[in-house]
Structure formats: C-alpha cells, structure tokens
Amino acid sequence: MKKTPSTVMHLPVGSSAAANDPIGTCTDCGVWACSMHATRYAAFQCAICLPAAAVVSAVTGSASSAANAAKSAPAANRSDLLITGRRVLQRIVGDMRHVGLTIAPAGRPNLITELTETLEAEMATNRQLTADERPVPSAADVGAAVSNRMGRLEPNPREDAPAIIVGAVAMAYHLAGEGDIAERANGLQQLQRPWLVETPLLLDPVLWMVAVATQEV
C-alpha cells in the first residue's frame, strides 16, 4: 500500500530528481527511500529508523544527528510532555539496568526483555482492528527486535534525553498517521497504542516500547 506523508520534505530548487525518486538506502534497515521519506543529513536514515536512533542516542548518551533532529521537533519543547518524557526515560533506563538480573522491580514487566509478553496481553484485550485488517507486526517480532537492540546497550542518558524522546515519539507518530501530538491536550499520557495507529508498520519496534512505557508511567 503506497502512502504519502502529511508533511513533505521538498527537494532543493533545481534538483534533477523527482519527489518520488529513490535517493538512498537506509543505513539501519536497508529500505530504499525517496526524498519524501528520508533525510540525507549524515549517514542516510529513513523516516522509520530516525526516531528509534534518536531514542537509542538519548538513553546511551551518544551524539547523533538523529537526536538533534528529534530535539528540534515542536513537541520537544512542551513542558507537560517533558514531564512524561522524563518518566519514560527513567522507566527505560531502569529496565535496561535490570537486563540479565533474575529479580526485576515488583509489579511491572521489563520492557526490554518481556515486551513480547506485555504486548500479547495488551493486544488481546485492546485489539479493535478496523474492517480492513491493517497489517500489524507480531508481538514476538517486536519484542525480539527490542531485546536484541536494547538489551546489549549500557544506559547513560543524556541531559536532554527527555526532549529527544518526546521529539522522537512526535516524529514517529506523525509518520504513522497520528497527526501532531503537540496539539493534543492529553499529550503522551493517552498516546494511541502502536498496533492501533493508522499504519503500525511505520513504527520502529523501539517506538513500540516507548509507547508502551508511556501507558505505565
């Protein structure tokens, strides 16, 4: 199914390329992307992978252009969203620090190692699929991707991590067809569940984890 983004990143004036011409292969996922779904700011990253790379940068303390892009999103400057962003950061970093330990914090699953089980339980009670049966990744695939990517990282959050996380969520959800979260009064606290967005396949598994975390902080 071909999708056109709500916000188009225009090519430079006089460019020999058309808007839908492929301009590169994403360094993260390998997708072949056009100028409407990617930005060539350093290493080429598609619009799906950029928010996830920003989240990884935020929680590990690494510098990245993806983090800078996320932090520049309008939502990243809203004080009420940053409150939730800080709580989400604490949750993710706490779970990262408990990876490999036999005793986890009481009363909550580890979103790094137990995301599959968490998603299966929530999706069973909050499925609400539309009549067109939109394609949705399996909970097992999402959980495995998050565990493989996040389970090996050492947490060392950046000072501006909450703003990066908020901006990353805003970018990802806008891409997935959910509009601008900065315009919503409820912000992140009532974020649409990732399997119920307009196009779930446009959300990287890391953003599924972040979205689940917003429901639990």
Side-chain angles (χ1 to χ4, degrees), residues 28-215:
D28 289 349
C29 71
V31 70
W32 206 15
C34 67
S35 66
M36 301 173 76
H37 288 97
T39 302
R40 188 187 291 278
Y41 52 83
F44 183 79
Q45 284 179 313
C46 73
I48 300 173
C49 292
L50 189 148
V55 171
V56 171
S57 177
V59 300
T60 61
S62 59
S64 73
S65 297
N68 293 337
K71 195 168 60 171
S72 67
N77 297 313
R78 255 185 57 177
S79 58
D80 58 326
L81 298 181
L82 288 173
I83 292 173
T84 304
R86 292 188 188 95
R87 293 171 179 168
V88 169
L89 173 67
Q90 292 171 354
R91 173 65 190 275
I92 294 173
V93 168
D95 284 354
M96 291 174 71
R97 288 174 175 156
H98 283 89
V99 169
L101 300 182
T102 56
I103 301 177
R108 70 182 198 191
N110 187 308
L111 296 183
I112 309 298
T113 59
E114 299 174 300
L115 184 60
T116 295
E117 294 80 1
T118 302
L119 286 173
E120 287 176 344
E122 292 196 14
M123 292 171 74
T125 57
N126 296 286
R127 190 68 178 174
Q128 303 171 12
L129 280 180
T130 57
D132 63 352
E133 288 287 321
R134 69 192 67 176
V136 177
S138 71
D141 287 344
V142 173
V146 169
S147 179
N148 289 336
R149 184 169 189 178
M150 303 294 293
R152 305 172 184 177
L153 301 177
E154 290 293 329
N156 182 31
R158 294 170 45 150
E159 184 176 346
D160 55 358
I164 295 171
I165 289 175
V166 170
V169 171
M171 295 169 65
Y173 266 67
H174 189 273
L175 178 69
E178 294 301 303
D180 187 356
I181 65 170
E183 296 178 353
R184 302 179 187 177
N186 54 27
L188 296 182
Q189 293 182 324
Q190 294 185 28
L191 198 66
Q192 180 68 283
R193 289 174 171 83
W195 58 93
L196 298 178
V197 300
E198 181 180 336
T199 315
L201 292 175
L202 293 181
L203 288 179
D204 184 277
V206 170
L207 271 298
W208 280 59
M209 174 196 68
V210 173
V212 172
T214 66
Q215 308 292 322

Side-chain angles (χ1 to χ4, degrees), residues 3-23:
K3 300 289 289 185
T4 300
S6 301
T7 302
V8 177
M9 294 175 282
H10 295 287
L11 288 165
V13 176
S15 173
S16 60
N20 290 307
D21 288 345
I23 61 173

